[in-house]
Amino acid sequence: MTHLTTLKTLPLLDLSQLDGDARRRRVFLDDLRAAARDVGFFYLRGHGVDGALNARLQHAARQFFALSEADKLAVQMVHSPHFRGYNRAAAELTRGQPDWREQFDIGAERPALTLSDDTPRWARLQGPNQWPAALPTLKPLLLQWQQAMTAMSLRLLRTFALALSLPEQAFDRLYGEKPNEHIKLIRYPGREATDSAQGVGAHKDSGFLSFLLQDAQKGLQVEVSEGQWIDAQPREDTFVVNIGELLELATNGYLRATVHRVETPPAGYDRLSIAFFLGARLDAVVPLYQLPPPLAAQAPGPASDPLNPLLRDVGYNYLKGRIRSHPDVAQRFYRDVIGV
């Protein structure tokens, strides 16, 4: 096991090892299981996502955040019952405190569902994205990147099953034809604009796997043991990958969804990051997978936060998080859920 009290940087894994011989594949599976079990975070290189595509998306994200406020507010999230669109800095909350980042969220580009009184309230989460008319090139580029990231992340998720000595397709029924894909374009303004160190407050991610494409400015920090934080320094041609609560639930806590946060950049700098979150189908229920006895013996149970309990019903768990993070959208579209 990794000695977390002396850990100075995140593990580095190379997904291209899966294309090697049996020994290289076994080494990768062992390293993947150890990184996910001991740390819950790692760098991933050799991922196969085109570096030129990543660079084009980073450039387009800069273009989006450089648009006029009126152009960005035209696609403000408060207009979307599906929690898609733009948020000003400090509009999203973590543990009740404002996160100093402006961002643009999209999900899977699907039509809204026809709802009745008996339809689960989480069904409102499915629907189309909002797209900025002032930057028409953003939509095809983001959807191309979403497709590439989904293919890569589903490959990695199947690899997780193998690393846990489960059938390769063990997790397939949880995402099926409609994985809950979610992308955030994020810009963190410098400290002079915020008077706050909280880019994003300490939290865990709720899905299967999260992937972060960073620019050159550091800010992401990982809590590797209680009260001990390390910087996830930007590394070229890598994604930072972390385990979400769905995998922690599914493995009875064997895999670790790790607390992390983002500090605002120093004065005079900003930070751009692009996050991709792979989640399960909204109508899925997360089962408890039977791990081999040696692994099951090391599973302490999921570490549910009493202030934010985990739910095995994916749609309700996701809706709960969205409502907590975006109270303005909740007030407009979910008053029947929040009881106002």
Side-chain angles (χ1 to χ4, degrees):
M1 176 176 284
T2 303
H3 295 288
L4 298 180
T5 56
T6 60
L7 189 68
K8 301 300 182 185
T9 188
L10 300 178
L12 174 63
L13 277 64
D14 189 336
L15 189 59
S16 67
Q17 285 184 253
L18 284 178
D19 299 322
D21 57 24
R23 185 194 65 82
R24 286 171 60 83
R25 286 174 59 86
R26 173 46 55 190
V27 168
F28 181 81
L29 292 177
D30 290 344
D31 289 346
L32 178 65
R33 185 175 61 252
R37 161 71 178 160
D38 298 346
V39 187
F41 266 82
F42 55 90
Y43 295 105
L44 186 70
R45 67 183 177 190
H47 43 71
V49 178
D50 184 17
L53 175 60
N54 288 336
R56 290 201 303 274
L57 183 57
Q58 287 174 312
H59 176 69
R62 290 280 184 195
Q63 289 180 303
F64 173 78
F65 290 120
L67 293 175
S68 70
E69 184 174 37
D71 285 334
K72 289 184 288 189
L73 291 181
V75 290
Q76 193 174 12
M77 185 181 284
V78 74
H79 303 312
S80 168
H82 321 299
F83 293 91
R84 317 290 177 82
Y86 172 74
N87 279 305
R88 290 185 174 111
E92 185 172 6
L93 305 178
T94 298
R95 296 188 179 274
Q97 297 301 312
D99 293 328
W100 283 95
R101 58 179 180 175
E102 59 172 335
Q103 57 195 344
F104 180 67
D105 288 54
I106 75 158
E109 184 74 356
R110 299 182 180 123
L113 297 172
T114 301
L115 306 177
S116 69
D117 291 342
D118 298 328
T119 305
R121 296 298 179 256
W122 53 254
R124 297 180 205 166
L125 294 171
Q126 178 172 313
N129 296 294
Q130 298 190 84
W131 299 105
L135 189 61
T137 55
L138 185 62
K139 178 180 178 178
L141 187 57
L142 260 177
L143 293 180
Q144 181 185 358
W145 193 73
Q146 184 182 62
Q147 184 177 30
M149 293 297 295
T150 298
M152 183 271 292
S153 61
L154 291 179
R155 184 188 187 203
L156 183 60
L157 187 61
R158 284 189 166 187
T159 307
F160 265 103
L162 294 175
L164 296 170
S165 300
L166 296 171
E168 185 175 10
Q169 291 81 22
F171 299 123
D172 285 17
R173 63 190 177 95
L174 289 181
Y175 59 81
E177 298 299 317
K178 292 186 175 182
N180 190 16
E181 305 146 317
H182 182 194
I183 295 174
K184 281 181 178 283
L185 308 182
I186 311 165
R187 176 185 169 270
Y188 298 89
R191 195 73 58 91
E192 79 282 359
T194 68
D195 292 324
S196 171
Q198 181 169 312
V200 180
H203 68 286
K204 297 180 180 182
D205 290 343
S206 61
F208 277 125
L209 295 168
S210 303
F211 299 80
L212 190 69
L213 178 63
Q214 303 191 86
D215 68 0
Q217 177 63 48
K218 72 175 186 178
L220 176 62
Q221 296 184 327
V222 178
E223 188 177 33
V224 293
S225 59
E226 188 171 357
Q228 181 189 356
W229 298 83
I230 64 170
D231 290 316
Q233 296 276 5
R235 297 188 67 154
E236 193 172 358
D237 299 324
T238 69
F239 293 109
V240 177
V241 185
N242 64 284
I243 307 304
E245 291 172 328
L246 281 183
L247 280 181
E248 184 170 326
L249 272 175
T251 61
N252 199 35
Y254 179 82
L255 296 182
R256 178 183 182 191
T258 302
V259 174
H260 52 288
R261 67 189 182 191
V262 177
E263 289 197 326
T264 52
Y269 295 86
D270 69 355
R271 177 174 180 265
L272 180 79
S273 64
I274 302 174
F276 176 87
F277 305 95
L278 177 70
R281 297 188 338 258
L282 290 173
D283 61 348
V285 177
V286 181
L288 183 61
Y289 286 85
Q290 296 302 311
L291 302 181
L295 302 186
Q298 301 175 56
S304 186
D305 181 348
L307 297 178
N308 187 25
L310 298 178
L311 304 175
R312 292 187 178 274
D313 296 278
V314 171
Y316 285 113
N317 202 54
Y318 188 63
L319 178 59
K320 171 174 61 71
R322 299 275 79 193
I323 284 174
R324 289 167 63 96
S325 297
H326 300 285
D328 55 344
V329 181
Q331 284 284 344
R332 182 169 184 182
F333 296 108
Y334 292 90
R335 290 192 174 191
D336 55 333
V337 176
I338 62 177
V340 175

